[in-house]
Amino acid sequence: MDPLEIISKYYEPGSKSYNILVSHCEAVREKALKIANKHNELKPDLKFISEASMLHDIGIFKTNSPQLDCYGEYPYLCHGYLGAEILIAEGFPRHALVCERHIGVGITTQEIIANHLPLPLRDYVPITIEEQLICFADTFFSKSNGSTKEKSIDEVRKSVLRFNGNHVNRFDEWCQIFN
């Protein structure tokens, strides 16, 4: 499986949206693999982490995110489950779960209801070690302005705290496991 081949089906290589997506996903992949290689005791699937890291944000083109050169009809928050739909259609259901579950540090059904989020009702919380690792690595990078500058742990914690105190607890647990 070649993630760039799949991405190229949905993004014009060399376009602004393609470049933002690929540079972001490469940064996430590099961090995720670096962590995974330090934690052999977790028995992470390195090949899967490499592939899924590159595909975790494939659904952004379906969202209305002009700063990313994406002009779809959905709110940005929906890019996870939209990406999952794409990867299921491509024949990669395990990779699709990473797309679906990587938003923030995960979103529960209760949070969707309480916050009136525009998501189908189900849990979007990373379960496997690979899902958690990719989600954790993703929190350190923003796609805004195409930057691949890594955020500090304190910057990520402040960002996560904006959404929910339980999210900070999950992030802190991951810091203990992955650092």
Side-chain angles (χ1 to χ4, degrees):
M1 179 241 251
D2 179 358
L4 292 178
E5 186 177 305
I6 295 170
I7 291 169
S8 295
K9 288 183 179 182
Y10 301 93
Y11 295 80
E12 181 66 35
S15 68
K16 180 180 177 184
S17 58
Y18 177 93
N19 291 338
I20 289 170
L21 174 66
V22 170
S23 63
H24 168 75
C25 290
E26 286 173 340
V28 171
R29 178 181 64 188
E30 183 179 317
K31 183 164 185 73
L33 287 172
K34 183 178 178 183
I35 294 167
N37 280 311
K38 287 185 350 186
H39 291 283
N40 290 327
E41 76 280 4
L42 300 174
K43 299 185 184 355
D45 181 337
L46 299 179
K47 182 178 184 290
F48 176 77
I49 289 170
S50 179
E51 294 169 352
S53 293
M54 288 301 296
L55 295 169
H56 77 277
D57 276 338
I58 196 166
I60 64 170
F61 75 93
K62 291 188 166 205
T63 70
N64 185 16
S65 304
Q67 72 280 15
L68 303 176
D69 200 33
C70 297
Y71 301 94
E73 62 183 274
Y74 296 91
Y76 180 76
L77 185 63
C78 298
H79 78 276
Y81 84 83
L82 295 169
E85 291 173 355
I86 291 167
L87 292 182
I88 288 168
E90 289 286 339
F92 299 103
R94 184 174 172 216
H95 297 70
L97 291 173
V98 173
C99 285
E100 188 169 277
R101 297 173 177 166
H102 84 277
I103 308 298
V105 294
I107 301 170
T108 65
T109 303
Q110 294 83 357
E111 290 167 333
I112 294 168
I113 294 167
N115 296 297
H116 309 287
L117 300 178
L119 298 171
L121 289 179
R122 57 183 175 260
D123 282 339
Y124 300 88
V125 178
I127 296 171
T128 68
I129 200 67
E130 291 84 4
E131 291 168 2
Q132 292 175 30
L133 220 160
I134 293 166
C135 187
F136 178 73
D138 187 48
T139 63
F140 288 88
F141 300 97
S142 170
K143 284 179 288 302
S144 61
N145 300 322
S147 172
T148 55
K149 179 185 176 289
E150 186 171 338
K151 297 177 200 170
S152 70
I153 287 178
D154 286 339
E155 289 171 319
V156 175
R157 189 175 282 117
K158 285 177 190 169
S159 175
V160 169
L161 185 59
R162 292 183 308 165
F163 298 105
N164 184 311
N166 292 332
H167 289 198
V168 172
N169 294 339
R170 187 174 304 135
F171 177 76
D172 287 342
E173 288 172 18
W174 288 345
C175 285
Q176 292 295 320
I177 295 167
F178 299 135
N179 284 326

